[in-house]
Amino acid sequence: MLRSSTLIVILSFYFSVQAQTKTGELKKWHRVTISFDGPNVSENDSENPFTDYRLNTLFTSPSGNTYLVPGFFAADGDAANTSADSGNQWNVHFSPDEIGIWTFEVSFRNGTNIAVSVDAQAGSSVSFDGASGNFNVAPTDKSGIDNRANGRLKYVNEHYLKYSETQTYFLKAGTDSPENLLAYTDFDGTSNHGGTNYLKSWSPHVQDWNTGDPTWQNEKGKGLIGAINYLSEKGMNVFSFLTMNVNGDGKDVWPWVSHNARNRFDVSKLAQWEIVFQHAEEKGMYLHFKTQETENDQLLNGGNVGLERKLYYRELIARFGHHLALNWNLGEENTQTTSQRLEMAQFFRDNDPYNHHIVIHTYPNQQNQVYNPLLGGNSELTGASIQTSINNVNNSVLNWIESSANAGKPWVVASDEIGPANTGVAADDDYTGNTGNKPDNREQVLHKTLWGSLLAGGTGVEYYFGYQTGESDLTCQDFRSREHKWNDAKHALDFFRNHLEFWDMESLNNITSDNDFYSFGKIDETYVIYVPGDDNSNLNIGNSGDNYILKWYDPKNGGTLQDGSVTEVVATGNIDFGNPPNNSNEDWILLLRNEATLNFTGLNENNNLVIYPNPANDFLQLKGLSEGIHQFNVFNKLGQKVLVATSHDRDYQLNVSSLKTGLYILNIKSGDLNESYKFLIE
């Protein structure tokens, strides 16, 4: 057994080496990897290193919280580059959520099938069992979209996931295709196993690889790393992938040493997957792990949670569970029984130390059959991955938002696949590689899928590419095939993030008389309406008599809010909202805000103080301040201080040009005066 003092020396050296790379920094939310010298074994040893050894590490935070994290066999410790299938390295990946001194205690035991045993004392102590140590975690130094700046995404018993560090709510947009994204020829042990060859080089995206980005084995990986760069640069933040499609459509993705193996894992292949996922982490990506598909959901233990399935799930959790933004999808178009689904969800909840989001996907006509028994406290599911027809997205997403809330456990609901299956989200008309001869359905996707999902209260969209389109669900290697759709999705995310407190809103389709006018908002405060071009509808926001300010947003071109032919209305039954700024034949987003919520309001309001304009652009004019020194603090809607200024003047011009679009609070302190006022930046 390795003595603790010796282990600490080894760890100190390990971390000093890793600190030269992005993946080993001892900082909050960063991946920390502890490596142990243990038994020298191989993937195919008679004593199976994946079943007959169990590495668990108990991490204790500075505040006393504990995380029991599974570890894994790492061959020579650099298998991504060496393709090693043997060695004496055993690793644990961990992402700490507190700064300060963390401690850890190691359990490493040996015995037949001990890897899936829940008995802490099963088997016998071996090698470095009982080792312990500590390490000091500093604050994160990352910013922007990097997940390590925002923290772990958590389910918080609401309809949206929430980042732990910034306390912001998450919306997603990105790709559901190709489902065999990991069928990449640069990954070790990746081949086609019957049927059409859908293996990928991702060569169209080599141009998107940037100097300093990761590779492995003499410049491998540039294509897929570049593809992730492209999605991120387009403002997308999610991609999905099957981690196993044995017997499925692609027959080219599996984590094991061979297509037929079930309890021995390909260490070098999985280490290469991790390089890709770690890069995605830095690019702000949410990882949608689809653990199986309809053709193989009976493959492991006949659909039960037995030895093979437990090993598979444990390996996914051990190697990839430390990532900050992900969900475990129990199955695409799932056909298992309710009891099997319940047991799978329970396994992830019991063994994933980070309690990641758990969803399941099913056929459109089987949603009631699959989802209803899993609602509320019946299961550990925290959401649904919805498949439905393009015209039914709003209704379907809204149904499961309301059904889950009524059952006492609000689900996070996403539109992850639209039909018809042959078309899905078609390639752009002007994409040069469009050989599918399918018409571009941008207008429908924009209206019915993208905004239809978001205005139902959904968490967002993933685009499925169909099986008869250019760059299809199995053949896709060029995400530029949907460039217009990515642009549209970014504009939608920008609108929601900049103009709405969407987490506090709900579908309000009943305020319009037309089913195509999707509505969303907070009653008596804010209303968002999708207005299809060349369409008319009555709009009724009640009889409060309140005055509402009207603005328009262009869903295809984004940009700032604009004035239409009507800029103000009074809530007295049906209202005339006029015409959009231009292109009345195009679709527009109408935003109505109650003027009372826009006006400056605060505690101990100073009636002599005049502040304008609201909304503001570059400056706020403050007139009628009292004598003395005035301290101005501006806070965003999360309570974070974003601007500070001082003045002796009774009339002062506050420069707010550095602020992004959104809602802010201006706090003014002067002597005994302490007042707060709301204002908007547009």
Side-chain angles (χ1 to χ4, degrees):
M1 183 182 298
L2 197 62
R3 294 196 306 271
S4 297
S5 58
T6 307
L7 177 66
I8 293 172
V9 171
I10 291 174
L11 286 175
S12 176
F13 172 74
Y14 177 79
F15 287 131
S16 69
V17 174
Q18 288 298 94
Q20 299 173 13
T21 72
K22 294 180 181 178
T23 58
E25 297 169 277
L26 285 175
K27 292 174 180 157
K28 188 179 182 184
W29 306 122
H30 290 54
R31 186 188 71 187
V32 174
T33 301
I34 302 179
S35 183
F36 303 96
D37 290 340
N40 196 326
V41 294
S42 76
E43 293 171 349
N44 294 301
D45 270 357
S46 57
E47 188 171 48
N48 187 336
F50 306 102
T51 60
D52 297 344
Y53 290 92
R54 184 188 64 197
L55 170 57
N56 285 335
T57 302
L58 182 68
F59 291 89
T60 303
S61 77
S63 68
N65 293 324
T66 59
Y67 296 83
L68 184 63
V69 181
F72 56 93
F73 172 54
D76 67 351
D78 190 28
N81 289 300
T82 65
S83 294
D85 60 8
S86 64
N88 70 341
Q89 295 300 293
W90 300 76
N91 287 355
V92 179
H93 288 328
F94 178 59
S95 51
D97 59 359
E98 295 181 29
I99 61 173
I101 303 294
W102 284 77
T103 61
F104 62 87
E105 300 176 10
V106 180
S107 171
F108 188 51
R109 303 185 72 81
N110 174 235
T112 302
N113 294 335
I114 192 174
V116 300
S117 172
V118 296
D119 180 0
Q121 299 304 314
S124 58
S125 173
V126 64
S127 190
F128 53 85
D129 180 57
S132 62
N134 63 74
F135 52 91
N136 190 8
V137 172
T140 182
D141 61 349
K142 301 304 181 287
S143 60
I145 61 173
D146 192 320
N147 288 336
R148 297 169 299 176
N150 298 300
R152 185 169 291 112
L153 267 181
K154 302 290 287 183
Y155 172 73
V156 292
N157 204 41
E158 299 179 48
H159 293 301
Y160 300 96
L161 302 176
K162 196 174 188 180
Y163 283 111
S164 300
E165 182 73 13
T166 58
Q167 293 295 296
T168 53
Y169 289 91
F170 175 71
L171 292 173
K172 72 174 183 178
T175 185
D176 181 56
S177 293
E179 66 176 34
N180 61 339
L181 179 140
L182 296 177
Y184 185 28
T185 54
D186 280 6
F187 290 140
D188 286 355
T190 299
S191 61
N192 173 254
H193 197 271
T196 305
N197 186 349
Y198 297 119
L199 291 174
K200 306 184 185 310
S201 68
W202 289 106
S203 57
H205 285 293
V206 171
Q207 63 180 306
D208 300 305
W209 183 90
N210 299 314
T211 301
D213 286 345
T215 59
W216 59 90
Q217 294 186 10
N218 193 26
E219 303 296 291
K220 285 185 177 181
K222 286 186 174 181
L224 185 49
I225 293 294
I228 292 168
N229 287 347
Y230 172 80
L231 288 174
S232 179
E233 288 161 7
K234 298 303 293 182
M236 300 299 94
N237 62 359
V238 61
F239 61 92
S240 74
F241 45 89
L242 283 164
T243 49
M244 185 269 286
N245 67 6
V246 173
N247 297 339
D249 294 322
K251 302 178 179 64
D252 45 21
V253 178
W254 53 84
W256 304 293
V257 293
S258 72
H259 180 268
N260 296 317
R262 299 291 178 264
N263 62 5
R264 294 178 184 270
F265 295 87
D266 189 327
V267 174
S268 61
K269 176 194 288 189
L270 296 182
Q272 291 158 2
W273 287 9
E274 169 60 10
I275 292 174
V276 172
F277 296 155
Q278 184 62 32
H279 183 70
E281 183 101 279
E282 298 172 24
K283 292 298 180 181
M285 287 292 173
Y286 178 94
L287 304 174
H288 185 151
F289 283 81
K290 293 190 287 190
T291 58
Q292 58 184 358
E293 57 184 325
T294 188
E295 293 89 351
N296 57 37
D297 57 21
Q298 316 294 314
L299 179 69
L300 302 179
N301 307 114
N304 293 320
V305 181
L307 173 64
E308 294 172 349
R309 188 175 293 273
K310 289 178 180 179
L311 284 174
Y312 174 47
Y313 290 165
R314 177 185 168 89
E315 200 74 13
L316 292 179
I317 293 168
R319 291 180 175 275
F320 311 124
H322 62 280
H323 288 295
L324 302 172
L326 65 84
N327 68 240
W328 305 117
N329 189 330
L330 302 181
E332 188 236 7
E333 298 176 339
N334 186 258
T335 65
Q336 290 165 274
T337 66
T338 295
S339 62
Q340 288 171 333
R341 295 174 186 127
L342 290 169
E343 194 173 359
M344 290 188 296
Q346 190 66 55
F347 185 91
F348 274 104
R349 186 60 68 228
D350 291 343
N351 291 275
D352 175 6
Y354 309 105
N355 289 327
H356 285 298
H357 185 37
I358 302 173
V359 303
I360 198 166
H361 177 279
T362 190
Y363 291 104
N365 62 354
Q366 294 182 9
Q367 288 184 12
N368 288 335
Q369 171 189 336
V370 172
Y371 291 144
N372 278 329
L374 304 176
L375 291 170
N378 293 337
S379 81
E380 293 295 336
L381 252 70
T382 48
S385 177
I386 297 294
Q387 176 184 177
T388 192
S389 69
I390 194 168
N391 292 319
N392 195 46
V393 170
N394 185 265
N395 287 335
S396 187
V397 171
L398 180 57
N399 175 52
W400 295 110
I401 285 174
E402 292 180 341
S403 296
S404 64
N406 291 337
K409 183 180 180 181
W411 275 2
V412 178
V413 182
S415 174
D416 289 338
E417 182 175 348
I418 61 164
N422 63 329
T423 302
V425 176
D428 295 339
D429 268 343
D430 57 359
Y431 173 61
T432 57
N434 187 353
T435 59
N437 298 316
K438 292 293 177 182
D440 189 348
N441 57 356
R442 179 184 181 186
E443 307 293 336
Q444 275 187 293
V445 170
L446 175 71
H447 177 190
K448 299 290 189 177
T449 303
L450 177 60
W451 287 88
S453 176
L454 291 171
L455 294 179
T459 190
V461 297
E462 294 177 21
Y463 287 158
Y464 159 76
F465 294 170
Y467 63 81
Q468 289 182 343
T469 60
E471 295 288 303
S472 75
D473 181 45
L474 288 167
T475 66
C476 177
Q477 299 194 63
D478 188 358
F479 288 133
R480 283 182 173 80
S481 58
R482 272 78 177 175
E483 184 165 5
H484 296 316
K485 279 80 169 184
W486 309 137
N487 292 337
D488 292 345
K490 182 181 185 302
H491 296 324
L493 294 185
D494 287 346
F495 177 84
F496 268 70
R497 291 165 177 163
N498 294 335
H499 300 292
L500 303 179
E501 295 179 355
F502 57 86
W503 55 90
D504 199 27
M505 297 181 175
E506 61 182 331
S507 173
L508 298 172
N509 286 341
N510 60 343
I511 70 170
T512 66
S513 57
D514 189 322
N515 290 335
D516 285 338
F517 276 63
Y518 303 139
S519 302
F520 184 70
K522 188 172 184 180
I523 294 174
D524 294 333
E525 289 190 16
T526 304
Y527 299 90
V528 184
I529 303 97
Y530 193 101
V531 181
D534 257 353
D535 207 346
N536 294 304
S537 175
N538 293 322
L539 182 62
N540 190 322
I541 55 174
N543 292 283
S544 66
D546 290 346
N547 197 55
Y548 281 79
I549 305 299
L550 274 65
K551 294 286 185 179
W552 295 84
Y553 184 76
D554 186 341
K556 278 190 176 179
N557 297 298
T560 61
L561 299 179
Q562 304 178 49
D563 288 332
S565 62
V566 175
T567 59
E568 296 184 31
V569 295
V570 178
T572 53
N574 289 339
I575 63 171
D576 178 9
F577 52 82
N579 297 315
N582 51 61
N583 295 326
S584 59
N585 291 332
E586 297 288 337
D587 294 0
W588 284 85
I589 308 302
L590 176 61
L591 174 63
L592 292 84
R593 295 195 188 103
N594 191 322
E595 191 174 33
T597 67
L598 293 180
N599 289 340
F600 292 99
T601 58
L603 303 174
N604 306 315
E605 186 153 0
N606 180 353
N607 293 326
N608 297 319
L609 179 60
V610 177
I611 307 176
Y612 67 93
N614 188 24
N617 250 325
D618 296 328
F619 296 95
L620 276 180
Q621 306 290 340
L622 293 84
K623 295 185 179 295
L625 291 162
S626 59
E627 298 285 352
I629 299 175
H630 314 297
Q631 175 78 36
F632 306 107
N633 295 302
V634 177
F635 300 86
N636 63 20
K637 57 191 176 185
L638 300 175
Q640 299 164 327
K641 189 182 293 185
V642 293
L643 184 64
V644 175
T646 58
S647 173
H648 295 266
D649 302 328
R650 297 197 63 183
D651 295 339
Y652 181 66
Q653 182 174 266
L654 179 64
N655 188 337
V656 293
S657 61
S658 64
L659 302 181
K660 297 179 180 179
T661 301
L663 175 69
Y664 294 88
I665 304 294
L666 168 64
N667 177 256
I668 304 175
K669 292 182 179 179
S670 180
D672 294 333
L673 177 69
N674 187 346
E675 297 180 354
S676 297
Y677 307 89
K678 289 182 182 179
F679 71 97
L680 285 167
I681 293 290
E682 289 190 346

